[in-house]
C-alpha cells in the first residue's frame, strides 16, 4: 500500500469513502475491472480472500498500527462500511498470533458497482498492497512515477483533492478539455475555455505543443501550456463551458479534464464515461464548481501520462 502524506486516521477515512453514495460511478468499467482482477468463479459463486499473518503484519507496519491489534479489529476498522466481513477462523488475538495463521473473508455474489468497488479494494489490500495508492498530497510523485504506473495490475488510486479551506495555496482546478455528446458531436472544451479566460487574463496560452520546441523539452512546453489555464482558472467559466456544450449537443458520452497537481504545470488527465446516463450538473456545477470550493475525492485506475480512468467520484 502506497500511503502518500497520510496517517492511520486519514487512511481509514479514505477507505471509508466507499460508505458514501458516489456522485458518479462507472458501472461498466468497475464490473470489467472487478472481473479481470478478482476473477469470481461465477455470478452466483462466492469469492474468498485470505489475509495471512504476514500480510496482516505488512498492513500494520504500513499504517503504523500496534502489533497487539488483531485481524478482526484491523479489518473492521479499515472496512467499517461493510455490514459483515464474515471472517472465518478469526479471533481477536493479541501479539501472539501464530506464524502461518490466516483469516478468510467470504465475499458473496453482488451485482451493483458500489459493492464491487468495495470488494476490489479488499482484494487489493490482501493481494496487491503495493498497487493500492492512497494519496492526500497530489504533488507527491511516487504514485505517478512512469515505472510505477507500468506495473501490473493497474494501480487502484484513492486521490483526495483539497478544497479552499484545506490548503493555503493549492486549488483544485478541474479544466474541461474535450467531450463527446449524445448527438455524436465531439467538442474541444479547452478551446471554448480559452475564449472565456483570455479577456480577463489579457493573454492566450501558447499553441498546444505537439513536439519539443527548439531548446526545450516537450514536457516543459506542455507544462507551460497547462500552467496558463491554472494561473487564470475560473471555476464558473469552466462550468459554463460544459453546460453550454451540453445544452447544444445533449448528455455526455465521455468527458476529459486536466487537473494541475503542482504549481509548476504538472497535471493529471482524467477520463470519465457517463454514457449519457448522468445529468450535466454532475460534471459541471457539482464537479467543477463544488470541487474547486470544497475539494473532491476520486477513485480510479492509473495509466501512462499520468492518466486516470475515473471509477467513482465522491463529494466532500
Amino acid at each position: 500500500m502506497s500511503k502518500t502524506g497520510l496517517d492511520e486516521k486519514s487512511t481509514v477515512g479514505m477507505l471509508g469513502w466507499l460508505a458514501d453514495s458516489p456522485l458518479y460511478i462507472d458501472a461498466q468499467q468497475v464490473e470489467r475491472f472487478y472481473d479481470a482482477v478478482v476473477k469470481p468463479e461465477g455470478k452466483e459463486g462466492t469469492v474468498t480472500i485470505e489475509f495471512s499473518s504476514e500480510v496482516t503484519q505488512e498492513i500494520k507496519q504500513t499504517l503504523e498500527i500496534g502489533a497487539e491489534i488483531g485481524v478482526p479489529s484491523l479489518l473492521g476498522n479499515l472496512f467499517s462500511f461493510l455490514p459483515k466481513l464474515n471472517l472465518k477462523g478469526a479471533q481477536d488475538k493479541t501479539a501472539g498470533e501464530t506464524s502461518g495463521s490466516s483469516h478468510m473473508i467470504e465475499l458473496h455474489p453482488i451485482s451493483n458497482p458500489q459493492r464491487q468497488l468495495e470488494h476490489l479494494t479488499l482484494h487489493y489490500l490482501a493481494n496487491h498492497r503495493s498497487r493500492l495508492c492512497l494519496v492526500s498530497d497530489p504533488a507527491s510523485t511516487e504514485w505517478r512515477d512512469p515505472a510505477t504506473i507500468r506495473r501490473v495490475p493497474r494501480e487502484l488510486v484513492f486521490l483526495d483533492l483539497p478544497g479552499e479551506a484545506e490548503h493555503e495555496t493549492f486549488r483544485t482546478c478541474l479544466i474541461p478539455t474535450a467531450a463527446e455528446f449524445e448527438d455524436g458531436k465531439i467538442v474541444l472544451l479547452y478551446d471554448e475555455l480559452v475564449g472565456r479566460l483570455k479577456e480577463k487574463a489579457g493573454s492566450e496560452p501558447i499553441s498546444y505543443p505537439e513536439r519539443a520546441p527548439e531548446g526545450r523539452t516537450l514536457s516543459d512546453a506542455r507544462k507551460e501550456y497547462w500552467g496558463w489555464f491554472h494561473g487564470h482558472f475560473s471555476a464558473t467559466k469552466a462550468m459554463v463551458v460544459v453546460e453550454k456544450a451540453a445544452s447544444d449537443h445533449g448528455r455526455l458520452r465521455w468527458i476529459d479534464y486536466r487537473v494541475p497537481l503542482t504549481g509548476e504545470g504538472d497535471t493529471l488527465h482524467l477520463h470519465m464515461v457517463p454514457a449519457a446516463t448522468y445529468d450535466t450538473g454532475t460534471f459541471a456545477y457539482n464537479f467543477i464548481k463544488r470541487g474547486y470550493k470544497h475539494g473532491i475525492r476520486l477513485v480510479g485506475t492509473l495509466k501512462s501520462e499520468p492518466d486516470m480512468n475515473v471509477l467513482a467520484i465522491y463529494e466532500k
Side-chain angles (χ1 to χ4, degrees):
M1 180 190 302
S2 174
K3 186 167 67 87
T4 306
L6 299 170
D7 54 22
E8 176 190 344
K9 182 178 179 180
S10 55
T11 297
V12 172
M14 290 183 84
L15 294 178
W17 297 352
L18 302 177
D20 191 13
S21 173
L23 173 68
Y24 159 79
I25 191 164
D26 188 335
Q28 188 175 69
Q29 182 73 3
V30 168
E31 181 178 13
R32 289 175 176 174
F33 192 50
Y34 174 83
D35 191 56
V37 176
V38 179
K39 300 186 185 302
E41 294 184 5
K43 287 185 180 282
E44 302 304 319
T46 60
V47 174
T48 301
I49 295 178
E50 177 181 357
F51 283 85
S52 67
S53 60
E54 291 79 9
V55 167
T56 305
Q57 289 306 315
E58 284 185 27
I59 295 172
K60 289 179 183 179
Q61 289 172 7
T62 300
L63 301 182
E64 300 177 356
I65 294 175
E68 71 280 1
I69 301 299
V71 171
S73 294
L74 173 65
L75 297 180
N77 194 22
L78 291 176
F79 292 92
S80 58
F81 50 85
L82 291 177
K84 188 177 179 182
L85 280 176
N86 198 18
L87 283 165
K88 289 193 170 184
Q91 297 180 354
D92 219 349
K93 302 177 182 179
T94 61
E97 283 185 308
T98 59
S99 177
S101 62
S102 63
H103 301 78
M104 315 295 288
I105 296 177
E106 278 191 357
L107 304 179
H108 294 282
I110 51 173
S111 58
N112 69 74
Q114 290 91 336
R115 293 289 301 279
Q116 287 177 334
L117 187 55
E118 292 171 0
H119 290 186
L120 263 168
T121 305
L122 264 174
H123 182 84
Y124 263 73
L125 186 64
N127 300 295
H128 308 293
R129 286 169 306 290
S130 66
R131 308 299 286 158
L132 177 60
C133 299
L134 310 178
V135 183
S136 66
D137 178 11
S140 63
T141 58
E142 178 186 357
W143 64 282
R144 53 189 173 93
D145 176 76
T148 301
I149 292 173
R150 285 193 293 268
R151 294 202 296 268
V152 294
R154 290 196 183 278
E155 289 175 84
L156 181 61
V157 177
F158 284 62
L159 178 59
D160 189 350
L161 295 170
E164 289 179 302
E166 296 177 272
H167 201 286
E168 291 183 2
T169 58
F170 184 89
R171 294 293 179 266
T172 296
C173 300
L174 294 154
I175 304 163
T177 57
E180 181 181 1
F181 293 88
E182 205 168 8
D183 65 357
K185 178 72 172 179
I186 296 175
V187 179
L188 300 180
L189 300 170
Y190 66 92
D191 274 351
E192 300 291 329
L193 186 56
V194 168
R196 293 178 180 271
L197 294 178
K198 67 180 182 181
E199 182 176 351
K200 182 178 179 181
S203 65
E204 294 187 27
I206 62 172
S207 298
Y208 183 76
E210 298 290 350
R211 61 185 64 186
E214 186 175 353
R216 302 183 64 193
T217 67
L218 180 59
S219 175
D220 285 344
R222 288 183 175 174
K223 285 181 180 181
E224 179 187 346
Y225 178 81
W226 293 116
W228 184 91
F229 286 89
H230 189 195
H232 303 292
F233 186 74
S234 163
T236 300
K237 294 181 187 301
M239 174 189 72
V240 170
V241 163
V242 176
E243 291 175 340
K244 175 66 167 59
S247 68
D248 292 340
H249 304 291
R251 288 188 171 187
L252 288 154
R253 290 184 175 176
W254 59 258
I255 185 167
D256 289 358
Y257 297 83
R258 286 272 178 173
V259 56
L261 301 175
T262 69
E264 289 72 50
D266 297 283
T267 61
L268 173 67
H269 185 272
L270 304 176
H271 180 64
M272 304 171 202
V273 188
T277 58
Y278 282 81
D279 292 334
T280 303
T282 299
F283 303 98
Y285 173 75
N286 286 291
F287 190 55
I288 298 173
K289 190 70 180 288
R290 284 184 56 83
Y292 183 85
K293 185 174 182 180
H294 302 289
I296 203 79
R297 295 162 172 164
L298 305 178
V299 180
T301 59
L302 218 58
K303 54 190 179 182
S304 297
E305 193 165 303
D307 189 328
M308 176 185 278
N309 286 333
V310 178
L311 300 178
I313 303 171
Y314 297 91
E315 294 181 283
K316 292 187 180 181

